[in-house]
Amino acid sequence: MKQDFDVIVVGSGMTGGWAAKEFCEKGFKTLVIERGRHLDHPSSEYKDMQAPWQLENRGLASEIYDEEGRYRMLKTKKGKLKTESIQFFADEKEYPYSYPEDRPFMWTRGYHLGGRSLTWARVSLRFGPKDFEANTKDGHGIPWPIGYQDIAPWYDYVETFAGISGNKDGLPDQPEGIYQKPWKMSCAEEFVAKNIAKNLPNRHMIIGRTANMTEPTEIQTNLGRTKCQARSYCDRGCTFGGYFSALAATLPAARNTGNLTIVTDAIASSVDYDETTGKASGVTIIDAHTNEKRSYKARVVFLCASALGSVQILLNSKSKTFPHGLGNSSGALGHYIMDHFTGAMAGGTVPGFEDKYSYGRRPIGTYIPNFRHEKTDDVNFVRGYGFQGGGASRPKTGTTAKRVGIGAEVKDKAMQPAPWRFFTAMFGEMLPYYENFVSLHPSKKDKWGIPLLHIDAQIRDNERKMIVQAAKDVKQLLEAGGCTDIKVTEVPADKHIMVGARTHEMGGACMGDDPKQAVLNKWAQSHDVPNVFVTDGACMPSCSTQNPSLTYMAITARSADYAAKLMQQGKL
């Protein structure tokens, strides 16, 4: 197999797929390195064509998975393990990492071609101008080296290709994008939204914006994709390609150019550094099955292995010039680890719609954008939170397809009037703390001899204060929305909140203008090693309140365009 390429992309998921597409379409021979197994699209591992009763054990695991710490992301509130998509998640027992005993961390990974783009929640929200200004304004973290105006055209670009459904709601702090037809709110959600708008004019509830297509374009259908079927089986893999994933969209587009090479079961252990040129020469991998080491060469390296995965590779890439990790002259590599968090939620009955029911299984909920951007006299924290949720008919018994029982009794119950419930939970912005960091474990290694990643991150006083206020706010929102029988849940101040539980880990190789503070510049390019770029969540200087994947995509497309121009000019 060929060993020399123009570009090496490490990781094949949300950002790796985008990097591969952009470079291949610009004519560069591109190698994608994926540590996990190969998957086709559609794949025999997809379970989206199975009804609930066709799943083994109705989609719940046997006792062998009951060990603490295994498949944390798939555990239900009652501790049961859902298995309908377990094949797309890494088992912590097989792929361990470490953390302090009193500060457990949830690191969710997908080791297969396409990565976590197969199982993401698909919420596709832009960051707004205030989000890019926050670090500078309140002094936390490293100031963003770019503003909304720099990334806006690239949001347009990735939304057009990916296929995002959403409504243009006219909210300045939640910018609009290039959208296909939005999903509709239910009758109960419309009731709540109209009442909130009437009673709390500065707060808005909108239908979510999601990467589930409603009006596929020619570009999308030419890739074999079609519109979302509203089955809500997304995390099982989608045979229709109805939601955006690397397997269904970016990797096929890259493959169509003839410039793409993919190697799977290849664990990137380090980026190779040439002391003479001051640049990266390529990437060394370990074969997952044979333990054989191989090195691939390239002019440019893009790390897209997930925030913590990319940082682990950089930390393990040691040389005479960089004894503490590649591109780490600032000492910031591994620091400013963030995630979103929750801790306040509420549910209430929506009166007056007992004779109505929902049809289909919409793939997106409702969203209340952050209304706490500006610090006011009634709060004692900075930043803020949004709320994500939705309304459901017969929430306690579920849809007819998931109800236990058979025959006429089930059908009769399905036709009986029942109340609607509305539920929503906070998504808080965690501040970028230097003290939240990852490092290589000094003694523990995985089965390939790579040091385990040690993760030490926790929410702090500012986030605890947010939770207290969010509990008050969510009660006020539901009351204003016309709900009754409202029940608020607030996580007590003495209860641990696990960072990583929202699967939006960010930071560790942040962008910033000052090379003494930041690992990367405004192009997500290493300050120290100019042909190395990191465009996944590791590059983020702050996490805002919005789901971040759309921003990762836009940053990756922007950085790939910049790197390609430098390559065409002979500068890289």
Side-chain angles (χ1 to χ4, degrees):
M1 176 184 166
K2 178 181 176 180
Q3 303 292 310
D4 293 344
F5 297 86
D6 294 318
V7 181
I8 291 175
V9 178
V10 180
S12 65
M14 195 67 69
T15 57
W18 268 103
K21 170 187 175 296
E22 295 306 296
F23 283 115
C24 286
E25 290 181 343
K26 289 175 171 61
F28 296 102
K29 297 299 182 182
T30 302
L31 172 67
V32 170
I33 295 173
E34 167 55 50
R35 66 171 291 154
R37 67 192 180 281
H38 176 81
L39 282 182
D40 293 313
H41 172 77
S43 171
S44 59
E45 294 190 30
Y46 292 180
K47 294 184 180 179
D48 62 318
M49 291 301 183
Q50 297 182 36
W53 54 86
Q54 294 175 314
L55 297 170
E56 184 179 2
N57 297 325
R58 287 186 175 267
L60 295 175
S62 63
E63 294 179 357
I64 62 170
Y65 295 110
D66 282 348
E67 296 175 45
E68 179 65 28
R70 297 185 70 184
Y71 295 109
R72 279 197 181 106
M73 174 46 68
L74 298 176
K75 293 285 178 70
T76 67
K77 290 181 180 179
K78 296 181 179 180
K80 300 293 185 181
L81 178 63
K82 298 184 294 182
T83 58
E84 57 196 23
S85 59
I86 196 171
Q87 67 276 19
F88 300 136
F89 291 83
D91 183 353
E92 290 89 340
K93 186 175 182 178
E94 185 175 358
Y95 303 101
Y97 55 97
S98 71
Y99 45 78
E101 285 189 14
D102 60 339
R103 294 189 294 279
F105 185 98
M106 183 188 295
W107 185 14
T108 302
R109 293 153 291 167
Y111 290 156
H112 49 263
L113 196 65
R116 286 193 296 176
S117 74
L118 269 68
T119 55
W120 67 307
R122 308 165 310 285
V123 178
S124 301
L125 299 166
R126 296 186 178 201
F127 282 22
K130 292 180 181 177
D131 300 310
F132 291 97
E133 298 163 359
N135 282 11
T136 300
K137 183 176 179 179
D138 60 36
H140 292 278
I142 300 168
W144 276 86
I146 60 174
Y148 179 73
Q149 71 281 359
D150 297 306
I151 203 73
W154 296 99
Y155 277 134
D156 289 352
Y157 179 74
V158 299
E159 287 165 346
T160 300
F161 178 83
I164 310 298
S165 60
N167 191 52
K168 298 199 172 184
D169 301 289
L171 305 178
D173 292 334
Q174 187 53 67
E176 297 165 354
I178 308 299
Y179 296 142
Q180 298 179 8
K181 181 177 67 176
W183 296 89
K184 292 183 179 181
M185 285 189 184
S186 67
C187 55
E189 291 165 344
E190 287 181 346
F191 174 84
V192 173
K194 288 177 180 178
N195 280 325
I196 289 175
K198 176 183 175 182
N199 297 316
L200 297 171
N202 68 328
R203 303 178 189 187
H204 310 274
M205 190 172 91
I206 63 176
I207 189 67
R209 300 166 183 177
T210 178
N212 292 77
M213 297 190 302
T214 54
E215 298 170 325
T217 65
E218 184 178 356
I219 291 174
Q220 290 149 359
T221 56
N222 284 346
L223 290 170
R225 302 179 63 198
T226 189
K227 69 178 183 179
C228 173
Q229 304 296 300
R231 303 176 305 155
S232 197
Y233 289 160
C234 306
D235 59 357
R236 302 185 191 182
C238 183
T239 301
F240 299 93
Y243 70 83
F244 172 82
S245 72
L247 275 190
T250 46
L251 290 178
R255 191 178 292 114
N256 289 344
T257 67
N259 292 321
L260 178 67
T261 300
I262 296 174
V263 292
T264 53
D265 300 301
I267 300 165
S269 62
S270 61
V271 176
D272 304 324
Y273 179 72
D274 188 323
E275 298 281 355
T276 303
T277 64
K279 294 180 179 180
S281 59
V283 175
T284 293
I285 68 97
I286 301 173
D287 188 290
H289 300 298
T290 67
N291 281 359
E292 173 195 4
K293 284 190 175 183
R294 300 193 301 273
S295 291
Y296 296 99
K297 305 297 182 183
R299 294 165 60 188
V300 168
V301 175
F302 262 59
L303 290 180
C304 301
S306 83
L308 302 187
S310 290
V311 171
Q312 183 180 23
I313 293 168
L314 288 171
L315 288 170
N316 200 46
S317 303
K318 298 179 180 181
S319 62
K320 180 180 178 181
T321 302
F322 299 108
H324 304 296
L326 186 69
N328 193 20
S329 66
S330 65
L333 182 63
H335 294 272
Y336 302 107
I337 300 300
M338 300 165 283
D339 184 27
H340 291 128
F341 68 96
T342 192
M345 57 211 77
T349 298
V350 184
F353 300 98
E354 288 81 1
D355 60 336
K356 294 180 172 59
Y357 64 94
S358 57
Y359 178 80
R361 295 188 286 277
R362 192 185 65 200
I364 189 66
T366 60
Y367 185 61
I368 300 173
N370 181 17
F371 49 83
R372 291 288 182 187
H373 278 293
E374 306 298 335
K375 195 173 187 305
T376 57
D377 292 339
D378 63 330
V379 299
N380 56 355
F381 56 83
V382 295
R383 312 292 173 99
Y385 36 81
F387 289 94
Q388 299 188 26
S393 60
R394 300 170 173 82
K396 292 185 178 180
T397 55
T399 64
T400 305
K402 295 182 179 180
R403 196 166 300 163
V404 176
I406 58 173
E409 182 181 359
V410 174
K411 295 179 181 178
D412 289 343
K413 286 182 179 179
M415 299 303 294
Q416 297 301 313
W420 286 71
R421 294 279 293 176
F422 180 81
F423 173 86
T424 194
M426 74 174 291
F427 259 59
E429 176 174 2
M430 183 177 176
L431 289 178
Y433 300 106
Y434 183 87
E435 298 79 10
N436 284 350
F437 70 98
V438 298
S439 58
L440 298 182
H441 197 282
S443 59
K444 295 181 180 179
K445 297 183 179 182
D446 65 18
K447 55 186 170 184
W448 298 281
I450 299 172
L452 297 188
L453 195 66
H454 180 77
I455 309 169
D456 189 349
Q458 61 181 313
I459 69 166
R460 298 171 190 267
D461 185 58
N462 194 70
E463 290 76 32
R464 292 288 183 184
K465 290 175 178 177
M466 278 194 204
I467 291 170
V468 173
Q469 184 61 45
K472 298 175 184 176
D473 285 346
V474 73
K475 184 174 186 291
Q476 183 185 32
L477 284 164
L478 266 62
E479 288 174 343
C483 296
T484 62
D485 188 27
I486 297 169
K487 296 181 180 179
V488 178
T489 300
E490 178 184 345
V491 175
D494 60 350
K495 184 175 180 179
H496 177 74
I497 291 179
M498 188 183 298
V499 181
R502 302 273 71 79
T503 69
H504 295 162
E505 62 274 10
M506 288 173 258
C510 299
M511 293 190 290
D513 283 328
D514 187 351
K516 294 180 180 179
Q517 282 188 319
V519 176
L520 310 172
N521 67 14
K522 66 180 180 179
W523 302 104
Q525 176 187 29
S526 171
H527 279 297
D528 298 333
V529 188
N531 64 337
V532 172
F533 294 74
V534 185
T535 64
D536 52 29
C539 75
M540 304 287 279
S542 68
C543 69
S544 185
T545 60
Q546 296 94 323
N547 300 52
S549 293
L550 186 70
T551 301
Y552 301 166
M553 295 188 230
I555 287 173
T556 301
R558 178 178 181 267
S559 296
D561 181 72
Y562 173 74
K565 289 175 180 175
L566 292 182
M567 294 173 75
Q568 290 161 353
Q569 295 166 8
K571 296 179 180 179
L572 284 181

